[in-house]
Amino acid sequence: MPHTPNPDEDDLDAITPPQPVFHVEQALLGALLLDPHRLDDVSGITADSFSTAAHAALYAAISTLPQPDPAEHAKNTKWLDRVLTAGREQARGLTATYLHTLVQVCPWPSHAPAYARMVEAEHARRRLLTAAERLIHTVHDASLPLPVQTVLAEADALAAVVDDIANRFPPRSGVLPRTPAPPPAAPDHTEAVEEEQLLLATATARPDDIDAVRWLIPDDLTLPLHAGLWQCLTTLAHRNEPVDPVTVLWEAQQRGLLDDGREPGEVLRILAEPAGSVGHWGERALQRSLLATAEHTGRRIEAYVGDPANTPFQLVVGARRALADIAAVRTRWQNATGTTPPQQRRPAPAIRAGPPTTTAAHAARSTRATR
């Protein structure tokens, strides 16, 4: 009959460690239980840095209780008993047996700072994953009244996490994640196709309005045919050539858009029913592009974090490159909607005292000479 574990049963030391950091945390806690004074050499972590509630509770107890006298600590377990009592307030399953296990599995207590650095690195990985998951979740939250603004706020929060990790683990130049980026998620074409067709038809009927949406690029459209037709339209408008369904169809043929056997009549039907304004449909397409870019950025970072071989340095470099894609489309969105924030005034450069420059010295000599 299979054994059903009791929630209060002492099985902490029997848990199969999900990843190597579990052993690292055990070694660090064991070092601090053996030599509490080594806590002074540990930096960069808090109780939240640990991967399990039991380890977090133990570290919180160790770091908040007064350190024992080394001689007394070597003679008795009074301080360990206080640690256990304090730890149990947050993790009921903690036992004296598990504390003994931690002490036994610590290879070298003097290596506590190195263990702490490893714990900090793994915590950085989890923080980055959480921020990326929040960004992806926000992209798909249909209840948001202002989806773009909310997604951009989450992107900023993700960037802040990356910056904090970079401060703790300064990236090394040229060190990229070895993990290949995942392909972009397949978009839901139902609404996009209809709106993009309206964009193309309306731009064909009102080519003078194309210049007003220069912030829209072919890659913002979801279908390759639509992207190609938008490029045809912008090219014809840029060359000041006549724009109508027939001229666009001819340009499409010159660009190979009909090489896959597509019927010319299909292209003409796409361009035949204008409605609304070019600016409105262009903004809708750009919004979809921004949200898709944000989702892909989050999934790229998820993939990087999911590869345990990537170091914090590599995660920072990869995440910043992924976030640069959002920054690019964000700038175009601000241009499209007129929400570009005012440019921050940079402080004037400090003037250092020193010998006058050649021009200044020459002017001074000229002034003296005319006196």
Side-chain angles (χ1 to χ4, degrees), residues 55-75:
H55 289 177
L58 275 177
Y59 185 81
I62 293 170
S63 57
T64 54
L65 289 174
Q67 295 182 9
D69 177 79
E72 287 295 320
H73 185 58
K75 295 178 182 178

PDB file of all heavy atoms in Angstrom, residues 55-75:
ATOM      1  N   HIS A  55      14.270  26.645   4.204  1.00  0.00           N
ATOM      2  CA  HIS A  55      15.587  27.290   4.164  1.00  0.00           C
ATOM      3  C   HIS A  55      15.465  28.790   4.426  1.00  0.00           C
ATOM      4  O   HIS A  55      16.307  29.385   5.110  1.00  0.00           O
ATOM      5  CB  HIS A  55      16.242  27.042   2.808  1.00  0.00           C
ATOM      6  CG  HIS A  55      16.691  25.634   2.613  1.00  0.00           C
ATOM      7  ND1 HIS A  55      17.245  25.169   1.441  1.00  0.00           N
ATOM      8  CD2 HIS A  55      16.660  24.555   3.454  1.00  0.00           C
ATOM      9  CE1 HIS A  55      17.546  23.893   1.560  1.00  0.00           C
ATOM     10  NE2 HIS A  55      17.189  23.496   2.776  1.00  0.00           N
ATOM     11  N   ALA A  56      14.412  29.409   3.897  1.00  0.00           N
ATOM     12  CA  ALA A  56      14.204  30.833   4.135  1.00  0.00           C
ATOM     13  C   ALA A  56      13.979  31.104   5.617  1.00  0.00           C
ATOM     14  O   ALA A  56      14.517  32.071   6.183  1.00  0.00           O
ATOM     15  CB  ALA A  56      13.016  31.333   3.314  1.00  0.00           C
ATOM     16  N   ALA A  57      13.197  30.251   6.269  1.00  0.00           N
ATOM     17  CA  ALA A  57      12.921  30.430   7.695  1.00  0.00           C
ATOM     18  C   ALA A  57      14.196  30.271   8.517  1.00  0.00           C
ATOM     19  O   ALA A  57      14.440  31.033   9.466  1.00  0.00           O
ATOM     20  CB  ALA A  57      11.865  29.436   8.145  1.00  0.00           C
ATOM     21  N   LEU A  58      15.022  29.295   8.161  1.00  0.00           N
ATOM     22  CA  LEU A  58      16.271  29.096   8.895  1.00  0.00           C
ATOM     23  C   LEU A  58      17.212  30.284   8.733  1.00  0.00           C
ATOM     24  O   LEU A  58      17.818  30.757   9.696  1.00  0.00           O
ATOM     25  CB  LEU A  58      16.964  27.817   8.419  1.00  0.00           C
ATOM     26  CG  LEU A  58      16.520  26.514   9.077  1.00  0.00           C
ATOM     27  CD1 LEU A  58      17.254  25.337   8.450  1.00  0.00           C
ATOM     28  CD2 LEU A  58      16.800  26.561  10.589  1.00  0.00           C
ATOM     29  N   TYR A  59      17.334  30.785   7.491  1.00  0.00           N
ATOM     30  CA  TYR A  59      18.241  31.918   7.278  1.00  0.00           C
ATOM     31  C   TYR A  59      17.735  33.150   8.019  1.00  0.00           C
ATOM     32  O   TYR A  59      18.532  33.917   8.588  1.00  0.00           O
ATOM     33  CB  TYR A  59      18.396  32.219   5.790  1.00  0.00           C
ATOM     34  CG  TYR A  59      19.416  33.300   5.532  1.00  0.00           C
ATOM     35  CD1 TYR A  59      20.769  33.003   5.529  1.00  0.00           C
ATOM     36  CD2 TYR A  59      19.025  34.623   5.321  1.00  0.00           C
ATOM     37  CE1 TYR A  59      21.717  33.989   5.318  1.00  0.00           C
ATOM     38  CE2 TYR A  59      19.955  35.617   5.108  1.00  0.00           C
ATOM     39  CZ  TYR A  59      21.305  35.301   5.103  1.00  0.00           C
ATOM     40  OH  TYR A  59      22.243  36.287   4.904  1.00  0.00           O
ATOM     41  N   ALA A  60      16.416  33.351   8.021  1.00  0.00           N
ATOM     42  CA  ALA A  60      15.857  34.492   8.747  1.00  0.00           C
ATOM     43  C   ALA A  60      16.182  34.389  10.232  1.00  0.00           C
ATOM     44  O   ALA A  60      16.546  35.383  10.877  1.00  0.00           O
ATOM     45  CB  ALA A  60      14.354  34.564   8.530  1.00  0.00           C
ATOM     46  N   ALA A  61      16.063  33.181  10.788  1.00  0.00           N
ATOM     47  CA  ALA A  61      16.375  32.994  12.208  1.00  0.00           C
ATOM     48  C   ALA A  61      17.853  33.226  12.484  1.00  0.00           C
ATOM     49  O   ALA A  61      18.231  33.911  13.447  1.00  0.00           O
ATOM     50  CB  ALA A  61      15.971  31.589  12.636  1.00  0.00           C
ATOM     51  N   ILE A  62      18.710  32.685  11.624  1.00  0.00           N
ATOM     52  CA  ILE A  62      20.158  32.835  11.823  1.00  0.00           C
ATOM     53  C   ILE A  62      20.574  34.291  11.742  1.00  0.00           C
ATOM     54  O   ILE A  62      21.425  34.766  12.520  1.00  0.00           O
ATOM     55  CB  ILE A  62      20.927  32.001  10.768  1.00  0.00           C
ATOM     56  CG1 ILE A  62      20.705  30.511  11.013  1.00  0.00           C
ATOM     57  CG2 ILE A  62      22.413  32.329  10.774  1.00  0.00           C
ATOM     58  CD1 ILE A  62      21.229  29.630   9.898  1.00  0.00           C
ATOM     59  N   SER A  63      19.971  35.026  10.801  1.00  0.00           N
ATOM     60  CA  SER A  63      20.407  36.403  10.579  1.00  0.00           C
ATOM     61  C   SER A  63      19.796  37.397  11.565  1.00  0.00           C
ATOM     62  O   SER A  63      20.269  38.535  11.655  1.00  0.00           O
ATOM     63  CB  SER A  63      20.073  36.827   9.141  1.00  0.00           C
ATOM     64  OG  SER A  63      18.689  36.693   8.876  1.00  0.00           O
ATOM     65  N   THR A  64      18.758  37.013  12.289  1.00  0.00           N
ATOM     66  CA  THR A  64      18.128  37.946  13.233  1.00  0.00           C
ATOM     67  C   THR A  64      18.519  37.674  14.684  1.00  0.00           C
ATOM     68  O   THR A  64      18.540  38.614  15.488  1.00  0.00           O
ATOM     69  CB  THR A  64      16.597  37.886  13.100  1.00  0.00           C
ATOM     70  OG1 THR A  64      16.154  36.534  13.250  1.00  0.00           O
ATOM     71  CG2 THR A  64      16.153  38.409  11.738  1.00  0.00           C
ATOM     72  N   LEU A  65      18.811  36.440  15.012  1.00  0.00           N
ATOM     73  CA  LEU A  65      19.203  36.135  16.395  1.00  0.00           C
ATOM     74  C   LEU A  65      20.616  36.646  16.681  1.00  0.00           C
ATOM     75  O   LEU A  65      21.477  36.617  15.797  1.00  0.00           O
ATOM     76  CB  LEU A  65      19.145  34.628  16.640  1.00  0.00           C
ATOM     77  CG  LEU A  65      17.758  33.996  16.707  1.00  0.00           C
ATOM     78  CD1 LEU A  65      17.873  32.475  16.809  1.00  0.00           C
ATOM     79  CD2 LEU A  65      16.985  34.543  17.905  1.00  0.00           C
ATOM     80  N   PRO A  66      20.877  37.094  17.905  1.00  0.00           N
ATOM     81  CA  PRO A  66      22.249  37.494  18.253  1.00  0.00           C
ATOM     82  C   PRO A  66      23.202  36.317  18.115  1.00  0.00           C
ATOM     83  O   PRO A  66      22.861  35.180  18.449  1.00  0.00           O
ATOM     84  CB  PRO A  66      22.118  37.944  19.720  1.00  0.00           C
ATOM     85  CG  PRO A  66      20.668  38.246  19.918  1.00  0.00           C
ATOM     86  CD  PRO A  66      19.924  37.312  19.018  1.00  0.00           C
ATOM     87  N   GLN A  67      24.376  36.592  17.612  1.00  0.00           N
ATOM     88  CA  GLN A  67      25.348  35.518  17.430  1.00  0.00           C
ATOM     89  C   GLN A  67      25.852  35.024  18.796  1.00  0.00           C
ATOM     90  O   GLN A  67      26.056  35.817  19.717  1.00  0.00           O
ATOM     91  CB  GLN A  67      26.529  35.998  16.590  1.00  0.00           C
ATOM     92  CG  GLN A  67      26.152  36.347  15.164  1.00  0.00           C
ATOM     93  CD  GLN A  67      27.349  36.782  14.339  1.00  0.00           C
ATOM     94  OE1 GLN A  67      28.487  36.666  14.783  1.00  0.00           O
ATOM     95  NE2 GLN A  67      27.094  37.295  13.130  1.00  0.00           N
ATOM     96  N   PRO A  68      26.052  33.726  18.928  1.00  0.00           N
ATOM     97  CA  PRO A  68      26.499  33.191  20.221  1.00  0.00           C
ATOM     98  C   PRO A  68      27.998  33.416  20.429  1.00  0.00           C
ATOM     99  O   PRO A  68      28.732  33.700  19.486  1.00  0.00           O
ATOM    100  CB  PRO A  68      26.185  31.701  20.090  1.00  0.00           C
ATOM    101  CG  PRO A  68      26.386  31.421  18.633  1.00  0.00           C
ATOM    102  CD  PRO A  68      25.888  32.661  17.917  1.00  0.00           C
ATOM    103  N   ASP A  69      28.406  33.276  21.657  1.00  0.00           N
ATOM    104  CA  ASP A  69      29.837  33.285  21.949  1.00  0.00           C
ATOM    105  C   ASP A  69      30.457  32.026  21.337  1.00  0.00           C
ATOM    106  O   ASP A  69      29.947  30.920  21.547  1.00  0.00           O
ATOM    107  CB  ASP A  69      30.056  33.293  23.466  1.00  0.00           C
ATOM    108  CG  ASP A  69      31.521  33.225  23.828  1.00  0.00           C
ATOM    109  OD1 ASP A  69      32.188  34.263  23.750  1.00  0.00           O
ATOM    110  OD2 ASP A  69      31.990  32.101  24.141  1.00  0.00           O
ATOM    111  N   PRO A  70      31.538  32.150  20.567  1.00  0.00           N
ATOM    112  CA  PRO A  70      32.108  30.977  19.887  1.00  0.00           C
ATOM    113  C   PRO A  70      32.454  29.834  20.840  1.00  0.00           C
ATOM    114  O   PRO A  70      32.215  28.667  20.526  1.00  0.00           O
ATOM    115  CB  PRO A  70      33.348  31.542  19.192  1.00  0.00           C
ATOM    116  CG  PRO A  70      33.036  32.997  18.983  1.00  0.00           C
ATOM    117  CD  PRO A  70      32.229  33.391  20.171  1.00  0.00           C
ATOM    118  N   ALA A  71      33.007  30.180  22.005  1.00  0.00           N
ATOM    119  CA  ALA A  71      33.389  29.125  22.951  1.00  0.00           C
ATOM    120  C   ALA A  71      32.157  28.403  23.487  1.00  0.00           C
ATOM    121  O   ALA A  71      32.134  27.160  23.591  1.00  0.00           O
ATOM    122  CB  ALA A  71      34.197  29.721  24.097  1.00  0.00           C
ATOM    123  N   GLU A  72      31.132  29.168  23.839  1.00  0.00           N
ATOM    124  CA  GLU A  72      29.912  28.558  24.332  1.00  0.00           C
ATOM    125  C   GLU A  72      29.220  27.728  23.238  1.00  0.00           C
ATOM    126  O   GLU A  72      28.692  26.645  23.494  1.00  0.00           O
ATOM    127  CB  GLU A  72      28.952  29.638  24.843  1.00  0.00           C
ATOM    128  CG  GLU A  72      29.358  30.268  26.155  1.00  0.00           C
ATOM    129  CD  GLU A  72      29.335  29.261  27.290  1.00  0.00           C
ATOM    130  OE1 GLU A  72      28.399  28.426  27.319  1.00  0.00           O
ATOM    131  OE2 GLU A  72      30.254  29.290  28.129  1.00  0.00           O
ATOM    132  N   HIS A  73      29.251  28.248  21.996  1.00  0.00           N
ATOM    133  CA  HIS A  73      28.601  27.549  20.892  1.00  0.00           C
ATOM    134  C   HIS A  73      29.248  26.188  20.629  1.00  0.00           C
ATOM    135  O   HIS A  73      28.574  25.233  20.227  1.00  0.00           O
ATOM    136  CB  HIS A  73      28.668  28.411  19.619  1.00  0.00           C
ATOM    137  CG  HIS A  73      27.936  27.828  18.460  1.00  0.00           C
ATOM    138  ND1 HIS A  73      26.591  27.514  18.490  1.00  0.00           N
ATOM    139  CD2 HIS A  73      28.358  27.472  17.202  1.00  0.00           C
ATOM    140  CE1 HIS A  73      26.225  27.017  17.329  1.00  0.00           C
ATOM    141  NE2 HIS A  73      27.276  26.974  16.525  1.00  0.00           N
ATOM    142  N   ALA A  74      30.556  26.114  20.884  1.00  0.00           N
ATOM    143  CA  ALA A  74      31.255  24.850  20.673  1.00  0.00           C
ATOM    144  C   ALA A  74      30.919  23.817  21.743  1.00  0.00           C
ATOM    145  O   ALA A  74      31.110  22.609  21.530  1.00  0.00           O
ATOM    146  CB  ALA A  74      32.771  25.095  20.646  1.00  0.00           C
ATOM    147  N   LYS A  75      30.382  24.264  22.884  1.00  0.00           N
ATOM    148  CA  LYS A  75      30.125  23.356  24.004  1.00  0.00           C
ATOM    149  C   LYS A  75      28.697  22.827  24.048  1.00  0.00           C
ATOM    150  O   LYS A  75      28.458  21.724  24.537  1.00  0.00           O
ATOM    151  CB  LYS A  75      30.413  24.074  25.330  1.00  0.00           C
ATOM    152  CG  LYS A  75      31.873  24.449  25.522  1.00  0.00           C
ATOM    153  CD  LYS A  75      32.038  25.188  26.843  1.00  0.00           C
ATOM    154  CE  LYS A  75      33.479  25.625  27.059  1.00  0.00           C
ATOM    155  NZ  LYS A  75      33.628  26.401  28.325  1.00  0.00           N
TER     156      LYS A  75
END
